[in-house]
Amino acid sequence: MAGFNIFILCAALATIAQGSNCPSGPAEVDTFSGGFDYTYDWPIHYQPLDTQRQSLCQAYMDVSSSEDNRDQKVVMMLHGKNFCSQTWNATAKVMLDQGYRVILPDQIGFCKSDKPDHYQFSLHHLALNTKTILDNLGIKRLTLIGHSMGGMLSARFALMYPEMVDRLVMVDPIGLEDWKAKGVPYLPVDDIYRQEVASNYTSVSSYENATYYVNHWEPEYDVWVKMLLKVYDGPLGKAYAYNQALVTDMVYTQPIVYELRLLGDIPNSLLIVGDKDNTAIGKQWSPPDVQALLGHYDVLGPEAAKTIGSNCTLIHYPDLGHAPQISAPEIFHKNLTDWLNRTD
């Protein structure tokens, strides 16, 4: 029995020590960094998470144009699967100019956050982790913006915590269709991992060019490809690739299409899509007849807005793809701020 007690004590001390690895305050050059040597525009904070029998650190930026941010409007922006919170930097600066306090988290498994060796990824759990940051900051109400996978996550967050969400903005969210129901075959996590770990400049830029930018590549898009490769090629690159395989499995199995109607209870929602977006999980490993059915955002966008209901505004761009905030920032930011100002 004494030996058992010593074992429990040692395990508890190890857990405390691991949790203490999270820096306690902001740092211009953080020493943790999640194995990701990349400079963000603003200091990084870390939220300790006791989750799934682990002590993990979730990175986020908390940016304000005012020294006293207690009464400021708050916006939180959620990144997509092939992105980090830093990808929102241009939109964040626009929101700061609009008088917002801006919260920018990196999800667990991504970028400057911890990349655990084992984790059951679910939209529900990522939403819970994200809420923990807000609870720690004392934030009760906010505008929520999510892109791609972050659009899925923002929808899930709004369904779980509707009392916190004043306005919901989804930018080219994935999950507007059920890929498995349309015939996309299941690919084991181990097979997805082998694809992820082989990622390189050609594979990433080719995918983004065809999906995000509709084959209109600009040199400035390279910064986001190189940012992503910094994670894949970093000291935790294999852990990141495995986490991304688990995330792909999560997204494939948890589409939001069946719950869109429930978002009608959010007072104000905005759906922004590029009509030429063709994002679809599993499209690359599906047979041609299934591929032809997938990723038609010119149809998925209007269908989703209609399902959400009269509280949802749809803005669509006929000539844009999956990332309008990057490929057409001026019109995107004008449309976004105009809508936010109308719904204040």
Side-chain angles (χ1 to χ4, degrees):
M1 178 65 72
F4 176 78
N5 288 337
I6 290 173
F7 174 81
I8 294 294
L9 176 61
C10 291
L13 290 173
T15 299
I16 293 171
Q18 184 180 7
S20 68
N21 286 338
C22 295
S24 58
E28 293 293 343
V29 180
D30 54 274
T31 56
F32 178 79
S33 79
F36 179 39
D37 180 18
Y38 193 89
T39 302
Y40 281 17
D41 279 11
W42 298 285
I44 307 299
H45 303 253
Y46 291 96
Q47 175 63 45
L49 297 172
D50 290 321
T51 171
Q52 299 186 23
R53 301 178 67 186
Q54 301 175 78
S55 294
L56 302 177
C57 303
Q58 181 165 2
Y60 67 96
M61 292 179 278
D62 178 7
V63 193
S64 175
S65 56
S66 171
E67 292 186 6
D68 185 358
N69 56 28
R70 288 173 296 179
D71 296 324
Q72 273 192 297
K73 299 177 293 184
V74 178
V75 61
M76 181 170 65
M77 292 183 273
L78 304 180
H79 63 77
K81 178 185 178 296
N82 294 325
F83 298 86
C84 303
S85 58
Q86 172 66 12
T87 320
W88 277 118
N89 65 336
T91 306
K93 291 171 184 176
V94 170
M95 300 308 292
L96 288 170
D97 289 341
Q98 293 285 314
Y100 284 83
R101 178 183 181 182
V102 181
I103 311 297
L104 299 156
D106 278 344
Q107 296 303 323
I108 289 295
F110 289 81
C111 306
K112 290 188 178 289
S113 290
D114 258 331
K115 299 163 187 65
D117 291 332
H118 55 89
Y119 202 73
Q120 182 173 331
F121 281 90
S122 71
L123 294 172
H124 290 78
H125 214 124
L126 296 185
L128 174 63
N129 293 345
T130 303
K131 182 176 181 290
T132 302
I133 295 173
L134 298 174
D135 290 344
N136 184 59
L137 296 174
I139 294 171
K140 305 296 185 184
R141 302 283 294 180
L142 75 161
T143 293
L144 185 59
I145 302 176
H147 169 242
S148 190
M149 182 203 77
M152 290 183 80
L153 180 55
S154 64
R156 176 58 55 205
F157 187 100
L159 291 170
M160 291 175 67
Y161 310 112
E163 72 283 356
M164 297 185 72
V165 180
D166 278 326
R167 292 170 299 192
L168 172 65
V169 181
M170 295 180 290
V171 183
D172 286 85
I174 52 178
L176 298 183
E177 58 185 337
D178 186 343
W179 306 287
K180 59 187 186 297
K182 288 187 173 181
V184 174
Y186 182 74
L187 192 68
V189 167
D190 290 333
D191 291 346
I192 302 173
Y193 168 72
R194 282 188 279 273
Q195 294 180 359
E196 290 283 350
V197 81
S199 296
N200 55 41
Y201 178 85
T202 299
S203 65
V204 174
S205 60
S206 296
Y207 173 76
E208 292 189 359
N209 189 29
T211 305
Y212 299 176
Y213 309 120
V214 202
N215 296 313
H216 289 92
W217 188 265
E218 298 292 341
E220 58 264 30
Y221 302 156
D222 263 352
V223 66
W224 306 124
V225 177
K226 292 176 180 178
M227 177 191 71
L228 198 59
L229 293 178
K230 276 262 189 178
V231 199
Y232 280 112
D233 296 338
L236 297 179
K238 290 186 177 179
Y240 174 71
Y242 186 64
N243 285 177
Q244 293 307 295
L246 295 175
V247 167
T248 298
D249 186 81
M250 172 193 79
V251 170
Y252 170 83
T253 57
Q254 299 175 39
I256 59 170
V257 60
Y258 302 115
E259 296 168 282
L260 290 174
R261 59 181 180 80
L262 301 177
L263 294 175
D265 293 335
I266 303 298
N268 294 289
S269 61
L270 174 63
L271 178 61
I272 302 177
V273 298
D275 286 350
K276 291 189 176 181
D277 188 358
N278 55 32
T279 304
I281 298 299
K283 188 175 182 179
Q284 67 270 37
W285 66 73
S286 296
D289 59 327
V290 173
Q291 291 183 11
L293 303 174
L294 306 175
H296 298 287
Y297 271 74
D298 56 334
V299 176
L300 295 173
E303 286 180 348
K306 182 179 179 181
T307 301
I308 295 171
S310 59
N311 287 339
C312 181
T313 299
L314 173 66
I315 295 175
H316 69 103
Y317 303 116
D319 297 321
L320 298 182
H322 188 62
Q325 75 276 26
I326 297 174
S327 57
E330 291 186 5
I331 185 62
F332 174 85
H333 290 137
K334 182 180 188 308
N335 290 156
L336 174 62
T337 55
D338 285 350
W339 181 82
L340 290 172
N341 291 331
R342 284 200 307 271
T343 56
D344 262 345

